Amino acid sequence: MAYSFQAYLPYYRRNLRLAFPVMLTQLGAALVGLFDSIMVGHYGTADLAAVSFSNALFFTVMVFAMGALMAVTPLVGYAVGACESKEHISGLLANGLIFTLLVAILALVLLVPCIPLLHRFGQEEEVVIAARPYFTLIVLSIVPFLFFCLCKQFLEGLGNTTVAMVITVACNLLNILLNYVFIFGHWGIRPMGAEGAGLATLIARTLTAVCFVVVILIRRDWRLYLTLIQRRMFRWQEIRQFIRIGVPIGFQSFVEAFLFTASFVIIGWISKESLAAHHIANQMADMTFMLAMGIGSATTIRVSHQLGKGDLPAVRMASRASVHLCLMMNTIGALVMITLRNYLPYVFTSDPEVISIASTLILIAGLLQYADGLQCIGGAMLRGIQDVRVPMRIAYIAYLVVALPLGIVLTFPMGLGAKGMWIAFVIGLAIPAVCFHIRFQRQMGRLEAQAMTQKS
């Protein structure tokens, strides 16, 4: 089908209407990490490396948990599109609460034992000393954060992305203020370095969960979903539905996060300067990836709603519109990183060795934009049609079978250092970027064939 801007314009508008608040939400979360890095980096290189190392371990589990809870959006979105009853949607919320509790328990079981074992990951002693209190505090923050994620995904399934944006932006501003107070020591509080950043994160994440509950209780139509919950709605069959969709999404997110986590550990074996530079480049790449995630969230919502309505042509149009929007934003992000690669590291540190390494890594991160954005949108399209198992296998092969071994070879035997790992990222992310989109086209063909069979 020939491209027509006028034909796609309504889809661009609808997708952006949903995506823009999510983009601000995700960008706000990335900005907190960015300000953490900037403030801690100016406090000391060892503290910056500690935050980098701790977040790498933490986000491996956290990303799995967040990915698992993404099952809420397509299930609720499909129910909304199919005009299911409020009782049915309330049942999804009830069983989503149980699913979230199970995911939170699993996350704590995996993270808490790591606290006394941080010295076993081969990092420098001063990095481990700074990392332990920070890591402990962010582990505690995962429980309120996951209940915030449940509320966010549920409202996104209903088609509302604005509330999460307002709450996240407000709490992130508080987080940045608390960083200033706790990291450097103001208002009579002692300077805490990395530990202060962790305390600020715990307070802010707890507040996001509290704010979401308050908003749901205040708004009458959303409060109804809570008041309709009854004991009979808690059914193992529905919890299994969350597990069936959520666990593959979570595992797909996990293997990608594991690749990046492993890269932090591996690059930490080179030097703390390389690790700090790697963290800076990763922060810059995260900023643009958050925009792609916003478009991806909107894609899942739009696709699940249209699938629930049975409007397959609209599913295709909404998906293609998201690809177009993602490519445009990836181009802007790539140009910014490539053009400003020699200047951006100065925002984080004044260490000349870190700046030299980081400028090269940011250049490669700019080239990474297209592969990273397209795999994100492709995965979101597949989640919208509830196709999650094959994408999980593709991600496993791309990230753990191809990218990680290749990164180790390029980093050490080939002598490329941190650059080798980033080159492996480009290759590893390009595989799902292609495969996810091929998979989506095949699945849509099957759905369209089934629809034609039912009509005849």
Side-chain angles (χ1 to χ4, degrees):
M1 184 179 72
Y3 173 80
S4 167
F5 179 77
Q6 290 301 321
Y8 278 98
L9 185 57
Y11 293 90
Y12 293 150
R13 286 173 175 165
R14 293 180 197 127
N15 287 14
L16 283 173
R17 192 178 302 121
L18 289 171
F20 187 69
V22 182
M23 287 160 61
L24 287 182
T25 302
Q26 300 290 357
L27 192 59
L31 281 171
V32 169
L34 182 66
F35 277 96
D36 272 0
S37 301
I38 291 170
M39 293 179 177
V40 172
H42 285 287
Y43 185 85
T45 299
D47 284 77
L48 177 59
V51 169
S52 170
F53 166 61
S54 298
N55 280 331
L57 292 178
F58 175 75
F59 279 115
T60 302
V61 176
M62 182 176 169
V63 164
F64 169 81
M66 290 173 63
L69 294 182
M70 285 182 184
V72 176
T73 297
L75 288 172
V76 174
Y78 183 89
V80 170
C83 298
E84 296 281 2
S85 67
K86 289 189 179 295
E87 286 80 7
H88 176 78
I89 297 174
S90 184
L92 290 174
L93 176 59
N95 290 287
L97 284 166
I98 300 299
F99 181 60
T100 303
L101 180 61
L102 294 174
V103 171
I105 292 171
L106 175 62
L108 290 174
V109 167
L110 293 173
L111 287 170
V112 171
C114 293
I115 295 173
L117 300 175
L118 293 178
H119 62 285
R120 298 291 183 92
F121 289 90
Q123 305 301 301
E124 296 179 21
E125 183 63 24
E126 61 178 330
V127 173
V128 175
I129 292 171
R132 185 164 283 118
Y134 175 81
F135 185 75
T136 302
L137 289 164
I138 61 174
V139 167
L140 293 175
S141 76
I142 197 168
V143 176
F145 181 74
L146 290 181
F147 280 95
F148 160 77
C149 288
L150 168 66
C151 297
K152 173 179 174 292
Q153 299 297 147
F154 179 74
L155 291 188
E156 285 184 4
L158 296 179
N160 184 291
T161 56
T162 305
V163 170
M165 175 194 70
V166 173
I167 292 174
T168 304
V169 169
C171 291
N172 285 345
L173 290 173
L174 174 65
N175 196 339
I176 293 169
L177 174 62
L178 293 177
N179 274 345
Y180 172 75
V181 173
F182 294 145
I183 292 172
F184 299 105
H186 293 283
W187 302 348
I189 296 175
R190 66 175 177 85
M192 300 170 69
E195 182 182 1
L199 181 58
T201 298
L202 174 60
I203 294 171
R205 285 181 177 165
T206 301
L207 191 58
T208 56
V210 172
C211 287
F212 235 126
V213 172
V214 170
V215 168
I216 291 175
L217 290 174
I218 289 174
R219 185 159 163 173
R220 186 167 175 264
D221 55 336
W222 293 343
R223 186 173 69 246
L224 182 62
Y225 292 114
L226 287 175
T227 58
L228 286 174
I229 292 177
Q230 300 178 27
R231 184 178 296 179
R232 62 179 176 79
M233 291 180 174
F234 294 97
R235 291 191 292 267
W236 175 242
Q237 293 89 339
E238 287 199 7
I239 296 172
R240 279 199 307 181
Q241 190 177 22
F242 281 102
I243 294 172
R244 178 181 62 82
I245 297 175
V247 170
I249 298 173
F251 185 76
Q252 179 184 330
S253 302
F254 167 78
V255 293
E256 183 177 359
F258 184 83
L259 169 64
F260 283 89
T261 297
S263 73
F264 277 94
V265 175
I266 292 165
I267 290 173
W269 295 338
I270 302 172
S271 68
K272 66 176 182 289
E273 288 79 14
S274 292
L275 181 58
H278 177 54
H279 179 68
I280 291 170
N282 192 61
Q283 284 290 317
M284 299 310 304
D286 274 351
M287 297 295 288
T288 52
F289 182 67
M290 293 302 121
L291 299 179
M293 282 190 68
I295 298 173
S297 295
T299 305
T300 300
I301 296 167
R302 295 276 293 125
V303 167
S304 62
H305 282 184
Q306 299 306 318
L307 185 67
K309 294 176 181 177
D311 190 350
L312 296 181
V315 170
R316 281 195 180 274
M317 292 290 285
S319 301
R320 289 171 182 156
S322 289
V323 172
H324 302 160
L325 293 169
C326 182
L327 287 172
M328 180 188 70
M329 291 187 181
N330 288 150
T331 299
I332 295 171
L335 287 173
V336 168
M337 279 190 267
I338 292 170
T339 305
L340 302 178
R341 64 186 182 277
N342 293 321
Y343 305 99
L344 292 171
Y346 285 96
V347 177
F348 297 86
T349 182
S350 56
D351 188 320
E353 186 174 353
V354 175
I355 290 168
S356 175
I357 300 169
S359 62
T360 302
L361 300 186
I362 291 172
L363 172 63
I364 303 173
L367 302 175
L368 180 71
Q369 293 306 296
Y370 293 103
D372 204 12
L374 288 175
Q375 67 86 22
C376 177
I377 299 301
M381 290 155 56
L382 291 169
R383 285 195 297 275
I385 61 173
Q386 300 180 24
D387 181 24
V388 292
R389 291 188 177 276
V390 171
M392 173 188 70
R393 298 188 189 107
I394 292 170
Y396 173 80
I397 294 170
Y399 302 143
L400 299 190
V401 177
V402 176
L404 185 57
L406 178 62
I408 294 172
V409 170
L410 293 175
T411 300
F412 294 110
M414 297 294 291
L416 295 179
K419 296 190 296 290
M421 188 60 69
W422 277 85
I423 293 170
F425 289 165
V426 175
I427 296 169
L429 289 169
I431 295 171
V434 173
C435 292
F436 286 173
H437 288 269
I438 293 173
R439 172 73 179 176
F440 180 77
Q441 296 304 320
R442 289 180 177 175
Q443 291 300 92
M444 285 301 299
R446 288 175 185 153
L447 289 171
E448 287 162 349
Q450 290 173 5
M452 290 294 291
T453 303
Q454 290 171 359
K455 286 181 181 179
S456 60

